[in-house]
Amino acid sequence: MITRNTEQQWGWPSKLLHWLTALLILIQIPLGIYADDLANSPLKLELFSWHKSFGILILMLAIMRLLWRMAGSIPTLPDANLAQRRLANLGHSLLYGLMLLLPLSGWLMSSAANRPINWFWLIELPALTGPNKALKEIAEEIHEASVVLLLVVLAVHIGAALWHHFKLRDSVLKRMWF
C-alpha cells in the first residue's frame, strides 16, 4: 500500500481524502437544496444542522487535502499536452477553491443571520461576524452561485475522469481508485 504520492500513483491518504470529500459533497448538495425548500419546522432546523456540520467537515478535509498535496508530489498526467495540463490544473484549483468558499460562505451566512453552528452537536463554532442582514444576503448569494459553479465543475471533473478511463484507456481514474 502506497502512503506517499508518487509520479505515477496517488497514495492512500490522498485517495481516502478524495473519496470521503466526494461522498460528503454528493450528500451535501441535495441535503442543502432539500432543507432550503422546506417550510420552517424542526425538521428543517435538524437538516440544516447536519448540512452545516458536513460543510465544516468538508472545510477541514479540504484543508487537510491541500496540506497533504503541498507536502508531497502530484502524479503527472499521462500523455497530456500543455492545454490539457492547464485545464486539469484549473479544474482542480476551482474544486479546491469551492471546497473552501462554500463552507466559509455558509459559516459567514449563519453568523450574519445570528444562527450558531454546532458542529455535530459537539462544538459551537465562533461567529465570524455579528448579526448583519446585508452581509447575510451577500454570503447567501455567494453560497448559492458557488453551488451552481460546483455542479458544473464536478460534471466536467467526472466527465474528464470517465473520458480518460473509457476513451483514452489511461491510468488517470485507476490511480485514484483503491
Side-chain angles (χ1 to χ4, degrees):
M1 182 182 307
I2 299 171
T3 302
R4 304 292 284 169
N5 298 338
T6 67
E7 289 292 317
Q8 296 79 34
Q9 184 75 28
W10 293 100
W12 70 263
S14 293
K15 293 176 184 182
L16 180 65
L17 290 169
H18 175 273
W19 292 108
L20 183 55
T21 306
L23 175 64
L24 287 169
I25 288 170
L26 292 177
I27 291 168
Q28 192 67 331
I29 293 170
L31 178 61
I33 292 169
Y34 178 71
D36 193 47
D37 285 345
L38 289 175
N40 286 336
S41 66
L43 175 62
K44 181 174 189 153
L45 293 174
E46 176 82 12
L47 292 178
F48 267 125
S49 291
W50 282 104
H51 182 73
K52 293 173 185 184
S53 292
F54 286 147
I56 297 301
L57 181 56
I58 290 169
L59 176 63
M60 291 188 296
L61 290 170
I63 292 168
M64 288 171 55
R65 288 180 69 174
L66 282 168
L67 292 173
W68 182 254
R69 190 176 174 115
M70 290 187 296
S73 62
I74 299 170
T76 57
L77 282 175
D79 300 324
N81 61 39
L82 180 62
Q84 289 170 327
R85 285 193 307 273
R86 286 189 175 163
L87 285 171
N89 287 336
L90 173 63
H92 286 107
S93 296
L94 284 169
L95 285 171
Y96 278 102
L98 290 165
M99 285 188 290
L100 298 172
L101 179 62
L102 274 156
L104 288 172
S105 64
W107 189 353
L108 183 61
M109 180 177 25
S110 289
S111 297
N114 200 27
R115 293 189 188 117
I117 297 176
N118 289 301
W119 189 64
F120 293 111
W121 300 269
L122 299 172
I123 301 167
E124 185 171 319
L125 299 180
L128 297 178
T129 185
N132 184 322
K133 186 176 181 188
L135 183 58
K136 183 251 181 204
E137 290 174 3
I138 292 168
E140 187 173 19
E141 290 295 322
I142 290 169
H143 197 73
E144 290 174 358
S146 296
V147 170
V148 173
L149 180 57
L150 179 63
L151 287 170
V152 170
V153 175
L154 280 176
V156 172
H157 181 72
I158 293 166
L162 294 173
W163 179 69
H164 274 276
H165 187 71
F166 292 110
K167 179 74 170 148
L168 299 180
R169 298 186 187 278
D170 62 23
S171 64
V172 168
L173 180 59
K174 289 178 192 172
R175 63 191 184 172
M176 184 48 89
W177 195 248
F178 293 96

